[in-house]
Amino acid sequence: DLRLELCEHAASGVFVFLRWTARGTGPDGAFEGIGTDRFRLREGLVAESLIMSDLPVFEHLARRVAERAQKAGQA
């Protein structure tokens, strides 16, 4: 389970910034942390997204994605 709560937001020109709090359960149990997203908009649509967070659960997810990609390449 993953729950995100929007804490703050701001906009400047074509950029929108969000600060959020995440709570959930990961492979090592419950976790809580914060993160920031930066979106660059073009014609009202997201043209670029940058997510910044040091939550350990994201490192775990990145490893899982890399493992699946490696297995798919071997098939």
Side-chain angles (χ1 to χ4, degrees):
D1 66 309
L2 175 63
R3 294 174 309 285
L4 298 173
E5 176 186 344
L6 178 62
C7 300
E8 297 176 302
H9 66 280
S12 177
V14 298
F15 292 101
V16 176
F17 302 88
L18 307 175
R19 187 178 69 80
W20 45 265
T21 300
R23 293 178 183 85
T25 306
D28 299 321
F31 66 86
E32 180 176 332
I34 61 170
T36 305
D37 291 12
R38 185 200 74 184
F39 299 104
R40 184 171 54 87
L41 305 179
R42 182 182 306 133
E43 298 177 10
L45 301 174
V46 174
E48 178 183 318
S49 175
L50 175 63
I51 302 170
M52 297 160 279
S53 178
D54 61 357
L55 285 171
V57 71
F58 290 121
E59 181 181 350
H60 173 78
L61 292 171
R63 280 195 307 267
R64 295 283 306 267
V65 168
E67 290 168 3
R68 287 184 182 181
Q70 184 180 24
K71 287 179 185 177
Q74 294 174 355

